[in-house]
Amino acid sequence: MTVIDKKIAPGGSKAGERTSPRPTFRHKLSRWDVKVSPYLYVAPFFIVFGVVGLFPLLYTAYVSLFKWKAGSDDPDFIGFDNYKELVGDGQFWNALTNTVSIFLLSSVPQIIMAIMLAALLGSRLRGATGWRVGILLPYAASLVAIGIIFANLFGPKYGLINGVLQTIGLDPVDWQASRFGSHVAIAIMVNWRWTGYNALIVLAAMQAIPKELHEAALIDGAGTWRRFWNVTLPLLKPTLIFVIITSTIGGLQIFTEPKLFDALPGSNNGGSTNQFQTVTLYLYQSAFENYNLGYASAIAWVLFVIIVLIALVNFFLTSRLAHTPAVKKK
Amino acid sequence: MRTIRNGLVLALGITMTALGATACGGGGDNTPPAAGPNEHVDLTLATFTEFGYEALIPEYERLHPNIKITHRKTGQGGPYHQDLITKLAAGSGLADVAAVEEGHLSDVLDKGSKFNDLSKIGPADASPDRWLGWKYDAAKTKDGKVIGYGTDIGPLAMCYRKDMFQAAGLPTDPEAVKPLFATWDSYFAAGADYVSKTKGKAWFDSASQNFNAMVNQLPQGYIGSDDKLAVESNQGIKDAWTKVTDAVAKGESAKLTAFSNEWNTGFKQGAFATKVCPAWMLGVIKEQAGPENAGKWAVTAAFPGGGGNWGGSYLTVPTQSKHPKEAAELAAWLTAPEQQIKAFQAKGTFPSQVKALSDPALLSQTDAYFGGAKVGELFAEQAKKVQKPQYKGPGDGQIQENAASPALQAVEQGKSAADGWQQLVDSAKKITR
């Protein structure tokens, strides 16, 4: 319609449009279309997220207020009793300590190694693509397969690692019995899988750093190390925040590795004295072995809050650190 | 614009359909009448690991043209039972005939109201005298409902390494070794003797394996008949603990957790000289010790403290079933002696039916790997030695798996026996809270 108008009245006078006082149905529909369509296009994500993300989150909060045994017909409402019990539950605190310990033992070396690897991969290498794909291989392998292989390597009696230790004249370590030993072993499993993955993300960010900056630094006489410290690292800040937060979320939910590390197949105990039972493992045990769904939901919520808190702390720390690049006098 | 409008309608349509699809019809829970003789009936049967029913199901369908059976097989017992309990809780989704393993029976008996009483709805030929008394009685709830028909059992005997016995100067003939395995005291004493003669070689694989058998032989288990925790009040449990931890202190344990990778390697390496051996363990030993150790293992018809049972299953008919009568008939037929013998020949599941235990096919069975021992006859003899079943209260299986076994493992890893006992008591209290 407007096309025809334009043909009749060249110069694009808009007067003709104002003469039609009442909008036709088609007109209304098109306005409506403009208003509503965008929401409709983004709706699928929000509907799916609502169904599989938000609803379970809220429903878990609801379940956590009940003494809810799987199979019981009428769960009792007990308010915050599950949370009170959780605060006094030694096994939960033990699991939380283990989780944080494994998380620190894995994430800290992992991120440092990932940056180093990225720096190496970013330098001039023969067959760079091959190396880059190579460090991603552990991530592509099946987690369960990795878990089984590592549990074998760390076997207290017939494991390869103890075999090597004994060959070089050291004492064997009972990796499953000792608390610290088991944490180290599990952290190695985690690092094996995730270091390459994080290195590639950091590498992508490094590639995006403008060459001019490095050239300018070179002209100013900065050495390789100095350039890395004062040019590369500060510019990696957003990526590092991302990597640290994702590994925090992942690290605090660690489940498969400790489950497979247990000598008793399928056990959720995390060792004979729960020495490597993580929070998710305890959650799983409470829900699907002891059938205390209410208690498990309380654990899930506490874990959720802890992850959010630690991620926030991480976020602030990382931004503070990256704001003030430490000038090292070498 | 037209396309956008159509898209809008389409999106709405999809949303409506999706919402419609998620609405599910609730089923009525009153027992439906039995189907007529020619009415078509679909039955589902859920089992885990190997029951040996693959050839039997088509046979049953041939005999009953109106019945179609869908067999759901799960690889592992653990996840299978988790799924079973979850679906019992949900009130839907279970098969018409659901298998339950003996170790999980206590959790299921606790929910007896969710199962049909087979003594009421089952066919007449599935009478109590079909099974060994202890097997039949173990599936009775407190109020006397029979919720499962016995399939197979795991009667206990002792396996031992002839070559290692010989090296330590012990007798090697299956008859001559029986005195060593007469009681737990004689067994652990022989172990101490073996350790000193071999300068520190282990006698058994892990403390937990023996302790479970010892506790199972007691008149009362972890849970008393009043469903209260009896770990501290039951002197028998404490005595068993003391005996087995003393043996650990003397170096009799190889400290290999059963079914772990290290345990599997232990068979190949000859890490221990004796092994608690339910009937199905022979297959495990063969597989793990491998052909290079053929003829070194032997088995004898003796077990410390008499007899015992470890393993075996039941077929149940949950009240969720739409065709309880037909399901009970199928369960009864599968657990009849004739069929159980076929299952035994297919997968080695040892029969719990009295008539099957005297079947020539079973009695003539020998095992070349174990020096041609008459294993069928041997385990049939052991099955008859089992006492009346111990009452398994709710949480019994969990205490064994998540309190007793880890506590004994902790002792093997260096914890003192007293601290280990405290750990067992604390964990058991937590489980039965």
Side-chain angles (χ1 to χ4, degrees):
Chain A
M1 199 179 98
T2 49
V3 179
I4 296 167
D5 278 353
K6 266 190 187 148
K7 269 189 183 157
I8 293 168
S13 122
K14 297 248 170 72
E17 298 228 351
R18 236 176 256 161
T19 52
S20 58
R22 39 186 186 81
T24 58
F25 175 68
R26 275 185 76 169
H27 218 100
K28 259 199 267 185
L29 199 65
S30 93
R31 272 225 306 270
W32 206 55
D33 186 17
V34 170
K35 274 207 177 99
V36 175
S37 288
Y39 293 106
L40 217 61
Y41 289 128
V42 295
F45 167 77
F46 284 99
I47 290 172
V48 171
F49 174 74
V51 172
V52 304
L54 193 64
F55 169 72
L57 193 74
L58 298 174
Y59 190 68
T60 304
Y62 170 77
V63 172
S64 73
L65 304 176
F66 289 83
K67 187 167 179 59
W68 197 313
K69 271 279 203 196
S72 70
D73 303 323
D74 46 344
D76 303 325
F77 180 83
I78 51 169
F80 287 94
D81 282 10
N82 279 326
Y83 293 90
K84 280 183 200 144
E85 197 179 320
L86 201 59
V87 172
D89 182 356
Q91 198 175 347
F92 171 74
W93 292 111
N94 169 61
L96 190 61
T97 313
N98 291 343
T99 308
V100 172
S101 154
I102 292 170
F103 161 65
L104 291 175
L105 282 172
S106 60
S107 287
V108 176
Q110 188 187 117
I111 287 164
I112 292 171
M113 275 195 303
I115 296 171
M116 298 292 165
L117 272 174
L120 286 174
L121 288 170
S123 58
R124 291 211 187 112
L125 288 170
R126 276 168 194 272
T129 316
W131 291 109
R132 287 171 194 178
V133 173
I135 62 161
L136 201 63
L137 279 180
Y139 177 71
S142 148
L143 177 56
V144 174
I146 292 174
I148 290 169
I149 290 167
F150 271 84
N152 258 323
L153 292 177
F154 284 105
K157 224 175 183 139
Y158 304 112
L160 182 72
I161 291 173
N162 276 348
V164 171
L165 287 178
Q166 278 164 296
T167 317
I168 57 175
L170 295 167
D171 283 339
V173 179
D174 193 337
W175 295 101
Q176 283 158 354
S178 100
R179 193 172 182 184
F180 184 70
S182 62
H183 292 191
V184 169
I186 291 167
I188 288 174
M189 253 190 258
V190 177
N191 291 346
W192 170 258
R193 185 175 164 79
W194 290 99
T195 307
Y197 171 89
N198 286 327
L200 280 193
I201 292 176
V202 175
L203 174 66
M206 275 186 192
Q207 303 279 333
I209 294 172
K211 278 207 163 59
E212 293 82 356
L213 289 172
H214 277 291
E215 284 161 3
L218 259 177
I219 290 164
D220 287 344
T224 318
W225 181 246
R226 182 68 190 260
R227 268 185 295 134
F228 174 76
W229 199 259
N230 288 43
V231 178
T232 313
L233 268 189
L235 289 167
L236 282 181
K237 184 186 121 181
T239 311
L240 287 185
I241 291 176
F242 170 79
V243 166
I244 287 171
I245 287 179
T246 48
S247 45
T248 305
I249 294 171
L252 292 177
Q253 295 185 35
I254 184 165
F255 173 80
T256 315
E257 290 90 342
K259 187 168 166 82
L260 290 169
F261 190 67
D262 206 306
L264 198 68
S267 164
N268 303 313
N269 292 322
S272 58
T273 53
N274 312 116
Q275 65 268 36
F276 52 91
Q277 186 176 48
T278 57
V279 175
T280 36
L281 208 50
Y282 186 43
L283 185 160
Y284 183 82
Q285 184 171 46
S286 303
F288 302 110
E289 206 171 8
N290 305 339
Y291 302 112
N292 292 326
L293 299 183
Y295 196 62
S297 303
I299 297 175
W301 254 92
V302 170
L303 180 64
F304 173 69
V305 171
I306 289 172
I307 289 176
V308 170
L309 284 177
I310 294 188
L312 284 174
V313 168
N314 259 339
F315 177 77
F316 287 118
L317 276 182
T318 324
S319 36
R320 288 298 288 279
L321 284 177
H323 260 304
T324 50
V327 182
K328 284 191 96 166
K329 293 222 160 61
K330 295 210 82 175
Chain B
M1 203 189 79
R2 169 153 303 167
T3 51
I4 287 176
R5 201 169 61 207
N6 286 350
L8 209 151
V9 173
L10 188 69
L12 279 173
I14 289 173
T15 318
M16 298 303 282
T17 325
L19 286 172
T22 53
C24 58
D29 53 359
N30 45 356
T31 310
N38 297 319
E39 212 174 312
H40 181 78
V41 176
D42 283 314
L43 291 177
T44 44
L45 164 71
T47 62
F48 52 93
T49 62
E50 299 295 345
F51 274 64
Y53 289 163
E54 283 70 16
L56 294 171
I57 290 168
E59 190 182 332
Y60 191 78
E61 287 177 330
R62 258 201 316 283
L63 296 169
H64 306 77
N66 63 321
I67 289 184
K68 171 93 186 64
I69 300 168
T70 313
H71 187 192
R72 299 185 205 155
K73 261 178 87 168
T74 309
Q76 280 185 306
Y80 169 86
H81 287 93
Q82 251 173 38
D83 181 65
L84 176 94
I85 302 275
T86 313
K87 283 176 175 163
L88 266 185
S92 67
L94 282 176
D96 297 293
V97 179
V100 177
E101 206 261 343
E102 165 242 18
H104 295 268
L105 195 60
S106 61
D107 298 331
V108 168
L109 285 170
D110 192 32
K111 301 170 177 57
S113 63
K114 297 186 190 290
F115 292 91
N116 283 295
D117 185 349
L118 295 175
S119 66
K120 288 211 173 64
I121 69 162
D125 63 340
S127 58
D129 58 2
R130 175 187 283 186
W131 292 273
L132 290 160
W134 59 266
K135 177 73 177 179
Y136 186 81
D137 291 343
K140 276 186 183 165
T141 62
K142 280 194 114 146
D143 48 8
K145 276 174 82 174
V146 176
I147 64 161
Y149 287 144
T151 56
D152 60 324
I153 47 176
L156 293 169
M158 262 296 172
C159 294
Y160 63 99
R161 282 277 297 250
K162 275 188 296 206
D163 56 331
M164 290 159 81
F165 270 43
Q166 192 164 9
L170 293 171
T172 57
D173 179 71
E175 282 305 312
V177 295
K178 279 184 179 179
L180 301 178
F181 306 139
T183 64
W184 287 108
D185 290 329
S186 73
Y187 174 71
F188 291 132
D193 182 38
Y194 175 85
V195 173
S196 66
K197 277 180 175 159
T198 55
K199 299 195 174 55
K201 281 198 169 140
W203 179 239
F204 53 79
D205 52 344
S206 69
S208 172
Q209 296 276 290
N210 299 308
F211 185 73
N212 291 347
M214 291 160 96
V215 172
N216 275 329
Q217 286 173 342
L218 298 171
Q220 296 255 326
Y222 297 117
I223 309 281
S225 47
D226 56 353
D227 283 357
K228 293 260 193 316
L229 186 66
V231 172
E232 283 172 292
S233 57
N234 188 338
Q235 192 54 41
I237 296 177
K238 180 80 207 223
D239 292 345
W241 174 271
T242 309
K243 279 177 193 172
V244 84
T245 49
D246 280 353
V248 171
K250 285 178 186 146
E252 292 182 40
S253 172
K255 305 177 181 180
L256 298 169
T257 307
F259 307 104
S260 67
N261 287 319
E262 297 255 306
W263 184 74
N264 294 341
T265 313
F267 276 111
K268 285 193 181 57
Q269 303 272 355
F272 41 89
T274 64
K275 172 83 203 78
V276 168
C277 240
W280 47 266
M281 188 65 79
L282 299 189
V284 178
I285 292 178
K286 256 181 276 191
E287 189 173 334
Q288 299 304 345
E292 65 269 30
N293 287 313
K296 292 181 182 171
W297 280 96
V299 57
T300 180
F303 195 76
N309 180 69
W310 175 14
S313 298
Y314 291 86
L315 294 182
T316 66
V317 179
T319 48
Q320 291 176 20
S321 170
K322 298 254 188 311
H323 307 286
K325 200 162 175 315
E326 289 79 2
E329 274 166 14
L330 169 64
W333 185 84
L334 285 171
T335 57
E338 304 77 29
Q339 278 65 250
Q340 187 58 50
I341 284 290
K342 287 179 190 164
F344 170 72
Q345 286 165 328
K347 296 289 177 189
T349 52
F350 203 82
S352 63
Q353 296 78 356
V354 177
K355 255 169 89 179
L357 291 176
S358 54
D359 192 290
L362 178 107
L363 294 178
S364 62
Q365 205 220 14
T366 58
D367 196 325
Y369 193 93
F370 290 81
K374 285 191 147 180
V375 289
E377 194 182 326
L378 184 148
F379 282 107
E381 185 185 336
Q382 290 302 97
K384 288 166 190 158
K385 289 182 191 170
V386 180
Q387 310 293 314
K388 74 180 183 59
Q390 181 191 77
Y391 172 69
K392 302 272 188 198
D396 183 278
Q398 273 190 55
I399 293 175
Q400 185 179 301
E401 278 171 46
N402 296 331
S405 294
L408 283 161
Q409 197 190 357
V411 169
E412 286 173 336
Q413 289 171 340
K415 209 171 195 171
S416 76
D419 289 350
W421 174 254
Q422 198 49 49
Q423 183 186 329
L424 163 59
V425 171
D426 293 344
S427 310
K429 276 183 184 161
K430 199 166 181 255
I431 287 167
T432 52
R433 211 180 34 201

